[in-house]
């Protein structure tokens, strides 16, 4: 089977990690996948903040209620922010870069999970975006789309049977 198709079929969100550190070359490969992703009019409004400091990773769990807890176990977080003045499709651009990095992580045997930040709230009631800005210091005209948690997987998750999740989703010629 084609290698990319195999990766797409076996990809899952992984939220549990061992305490192993990541190799810098693996982090670089994941970041490269994000940097190489497509972008409307090639504006590439994204910037990535790579966090490996354990205290900061723990603090980032507070950016959501419950939904970001895996960051306390993660070896690394890649926070995807964008200059929202640059393009009206920054959200789409950042989403694609997240998906590319998530898939690249899987191809390297790493576990990762998308943690939504845009339109979400932190534990202290702030917008997740503002909470993150306070911790990480990105400029006021930047917004955070999401965080990719990354680590050596401490769980295995079965691939989906495609007939189950694809059923009724695809229409040919007309709806
Ligand atoms: C836009 C988006 C937002 C998500 N937000 C979160 C999140 O905040 N926390 C989380 O644990 N998982 C989050 N996920 C992961 C989904 O829960 C996951 O993709 C879904 O349950 C399907 O599981 P799978 O990725 O293993 O196929 C998000 C995924 C996407 C695409």
């Amino acid at each position: 089977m084609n290698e990319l198709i195999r990766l797409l079929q076996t990809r899952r969100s992984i939220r549990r990690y061992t305490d192993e550190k990541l190799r810098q070359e693996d982090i670089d490969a994941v970041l490269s996948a994000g940097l190489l992703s497509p972008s409307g009019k090639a504006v590439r409004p994204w910037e990535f903040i790579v966090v490996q400091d354990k205290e900061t990773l723990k603090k980032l769990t507070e950016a959501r209620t419950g939904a970001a807890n895996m960051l306390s176990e993660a070896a690394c977080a890649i926070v995807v922010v964008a200059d929202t003045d640059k393009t009206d499709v920054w959200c789409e651009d950042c989403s694609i870069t997240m998906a590319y990095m998530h898939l690249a992580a899987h191809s390297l045997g790493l576990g990762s999970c998308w943690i939504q930040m845009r339109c979400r709230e932190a534990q202290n009631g702030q917008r997740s975006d503002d909470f993150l800005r306070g911790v990480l210091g990105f400029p006021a005209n930047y917004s955070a789309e999401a965080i990719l948690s990354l680590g050596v997987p401490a769980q295995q998750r079965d691939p989906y049977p495609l007939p189950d999740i694809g059923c009724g989703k695809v229409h040919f010629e007309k709806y």
Side-chain angles (χ1 to χ4, degrees), residues 3 13-14 18 31 33-34 58 70 72 84 91 106 114 131 135 161:
E3 177 61 5
S13 294
I14 299 296
T18 70
L31 292 168
K58 204 165 170 44
M70 68 290 254
S72 62
T84 59
C91 176
H106 176 49
W114 179 312
F131 175 86
V135 177

Side-chain angles (χ1 to χ4, degrees), residues 18-172:
T18 70
D19 54 13
E20 279 172 79
K21 282 193 153 190
L22 301 186
R23 297 185 309 176
Q24 188 58 45
E25 67 201 73
D26 286 349
I27 297 175
D28 290 344
V30 171
L31 292 168
S32 301
L35 293 169
L36 288 166
S37 61
S39 162
K41 296 182 183 166
V43 170
R44 302 185 184 91
W46 53 68
E47 293 183 36
F48 307 147
I49 305 168
V50 182
V51 176
Q52 294 181 82
D53 177 76
K54 280 285 170 194
E55 283 306 307
T56 312
L57 287 168
K58 204 165 170 44
K59 188 76 188 160
L60 293 183
T61 64
E62 297 171 31
R64 294 286 307 280
T65 302
N69 287 348
M70 68 290 254
L71 287 171
S72 62
E73 275 188 17
C76 179
I78 301 174
V79 184
V80 175
V81 300
D83 181 342
T84 59
D85 296 334
K86 279 190 172 165
T87 169
D88 59 352
V89 292
W90 66 270
C91 176
E92 289 85 345
D93 285 349
C94 287
S95 297
I96 294 169
T97 208
M98 281 289 296
Y100 269 44
M101 291 195 287
H102 179 46
L103 197 61
H106 176 49
S107 79
L108 295 163
L110 302 178
S112 69
C113 187
W114 179 312
I115 308 168
Q116 182 69 18
M117 292 294 136
R118 192 180 62 83
C119 300
R120 292 291 180 270
E121 256 190 20
Q123 290 177 16
N124 66 4
Q126 272 184 302
R127 293 187 329 147
S128 297
D129 202 37
D130 290 333
F131 175 86
L132 284 182
R133 190 176 291 104
V135 177
L136 301 171
F138 52 86
N141 60 318
Y142 280 49
S143 283
E145 169 65 27
I147 299 178
L148 190 74
S149 59
L150 267 180
V152 174
Q155 67 176 152
Q156 296 296 328
R157 299 189 70 197
D158 291 337
Y160 296 108
L162 193 55
D164 292 358
I165 60 166
C167 186
K169 298 286 191 192
V170 183
H171 309 275
F172 294 96

